[in-house]
Amino acid sequence: MATNAYVPGAETLLDIYRRTALLKANDERIRKVITSGKIAMVYYSYRGQEVVPSALSACLRDDDQLCTIYRGIHDMLAKGFPLKELWAELAGRTTGSCKGKGGPMHLTFPPKGIMVTTGIVGSSAPIANGLGWAAQLDKSDRVAVATFGDGASNIGAIHESMNLAAVWKLPVIFVCQNNLYAEHTAYKKMTGGETIAARAAGYGMPGIRVNGNDAVEMYAAAAEAVARARAGEGPTLIEAMTFRFHGHNFGDPGEYIPKEEMAAAIANDPVPALRAKLIADGIATEIQLASIEAAIEAEIDEAVEFAVSSPWPVADDLRFDVFAEEIAR
Ligand SMILES: Cc1ncc(C[n+]2csc(CCOP(=O)(O)OP(=O)(O)O)c2C)c(N)n1
Ligand SMILES: [Mg+2]
């Protein structure tokens, strides 16, 4: 499926790396902040899956719309969620993107097309269909992306959505981030058929399995799917193979993952691998990348400080942002 038209150039690869570095640093900081007791929150680490949304987002515009899941802060940050509003929302403060009412599992930032985070497994796809349908009705060439996991790909709503999207040629990209585990259950134990991608054939849409940890492969698949959707040619299913380096949620030691499997995944950490490729290919120097990473750390420092020094909501705030027509304060 990948053709030369979709091979990322040097600038694009550097852009993808910048996003992966931000995602990695942000995950590390969230885990550190929770451990220190500075902010309490539920957290689903995406560490190990950074390249998937970074390469995908390099193909998207701000008006393209994203529906993601509880393990989706990487998807949102890659698409441009501003760090201060993100951290303030994680901390439940009024300066957060949802005024502290959404928290880590219900993040949104519509100005960047980040429409919804859902904790209901499988529900990102029907919502993306609705957004895709709206784009079609608006005669806009914007696209909608639904990201979900390997476990979610066995949920009925995902299949109903893929069928309808294919029938109506909706501009939707279904991105299954196959990290080989759904909560505590291994992919092989819960999945009929070899690949998720093969299921696309049953709905008459292209389906492709890629190494989601490889920026070039992931970018090529995403760019082609986005181009098809923009051209009115309908949806694509991308199964991006990846791995999560931590348990299902913060506090889960992930003991059901065989030690050798985890060690092998960590040895192939996609972020340092992309970093090394950029240096080896002469796209960036060590000094340049180190300076990008230092700037990211400083930006995160500022965002955390902004979050913890922002005010908490008050009880009366519960009455607001509930109805479309606001009642007077
Ligand atoms: C409809 C529904 N069923 C079950 C759950 C409980 N649940 C939460 S996460 C999860 C596993 C999903 O795994 P996967 O789709 O692979 O995503 P990952 O967590 O690996 O990113 C389950 C079963 C839920 N939240 N919603
Ligand atoms: Mg999974």
Side-chain angles (χ1 to χ4, degrees):
M1 185 160 161
T3 63
N4 280 341
Y6 303 114
V7 173
E11 288 272 305
T12 304
L13 279 174
L14 188 56
D15 171 38
I16 295 172
Y17 179 71
R18 211 184 290 272
R19 295 175 206 243
T20 61
L22 170 65
L23 272 41
K24 174 175 176 287
N26 196 70
D27 173 88
E28 285 164 352
R29 186 67 67 91
I30 291 182
R31 287 183 289 108
K32 200 167 148 192
V33 162
I34 298 174
T35 307
S36 73
K38 204 168 181 178
I39 301 177
M41 66 174 111
V42 289
Y43 183 58
Y44 300 84
S45 172
Y46 53 77
R47 186 69 191 86
Q49 301 185 198
E50 292 90 342
V51 168
V52 179
S54 299
L56 168 71
S57 293
C59 308
L60 297 174
R61 304 190 308 233
D62 282 354
D63 67 333
D64 292 327
Q65 295 174 314
L66 171 75
C67 299
T68 184
I69 63 169
Y70 49 89
R71 192 185 317 288
I73 292 178
H74 58 329
D75 298 332
M76 295 181 273
L77 262 186
K79 199 172 183 307
F81 205 122
L83 271 176
K84 283 185 178 169
E85 282 90 335
L86 174 76
W87 274 87
E89 193 57 40
L90 296 179
R93 307 305 171 100
T94 54
T95 51
S97 57
C98 300
K99 302 182 194 169
K101 297 175 184 182
M105 282 181 72
H106 299 287
L107 293 155
T108 62
F109 195 78
K112 289 279 182 183
I114 299 159
M115 305 309 285
V116 75
T117 307
T118 172
I120 310 298
V121 171
S123 68
S124 58
I127 302 169
N129 267 7
L131 294 165
W133 191 21
Q136 206 177 55
L137 293 172
D138 287 349
K139 302 203 181 334
S140 161
D141 70 347
R142 70 176 184 268
V143 304
V145 175
T147 90
F148 52 90
D150 42 299
S153 64
N154 294 326
I155 291 257
I158 295 283
H159 294 270
E160 294 170 36
S161 303
M162 290 200 287
N163 182 59
L164 192 67
V167 172
W168 288 357
K169 284 202 179 307
L170 297 178
V172 177
I173 296 111
F174 297 97
V175 180
C176 175
Q177 300 190 30
N178 188 345
N179 60 13
L180 300 175
Y181 285 85
E183 273 189 321
H184 317 123
T185 308
Y187 174 70
K188 290 267 179 223
K189 285 193 184 159
M190 64 173 177
T191 316
E194 272 299 303
T195 74
I196 305 294
R199 297 176 178 186
Y203 303 113
M205 74 168 90
I208 181 172
R209 174 184 264 200
V210 295
N211 177 358
N213 289 352
D214 181 305
V216 176
E217 253 191 68
M218 184 63 211
Y219 177 86
E224 184 162 3
V226 170
R228 286 191 69 246
R230 287 208 204 289
E233 292 166 17
T236 302
L237 169 62
I238 299 172
E239 179 184 12
M241 301 307 294
T242 185
F243 203 80
R244 61 165 155 84
F245 293 174
H246 295 277
H248 175 63
N249 53 353
F250 190 87
D252 163 18
E255 279 163 353
Y256 43 87
I257 302 178
K259 284 195 171 41
E260 321 72 67
E261 190 182 6
M262 180 63 89
I266 292 174
N268 288 311
D269 189 333
V271 184
L274 179 56
R275 190 182 199 281
K277 178 185 163 52
L278 292 188
I279 295 174
D281 292 356
I283 293 171
T285 62
E286 167 62 41
I287 294 173
Q288 258 176 307
L289 297 183
S291 117
I292 289 172
E293 290 148 5
I296 287 171
E297 290 295 340
E299 220 190 313
I300 297 174
D301 286 345
E302 231 181 278
V304 178
E305 199 38 50
F306 172 78
V308 295
S309 56
S310 289
W312 294 98
V314 294
D316 196 45
D317 290 342
L318 275 177
R319 300 192 296 116
F320 302 98
D321 307 311
V322 178
F323 301 106
E325 261 180 51
E326 207 56 283
I327 44 171
R329 256 179 205 269

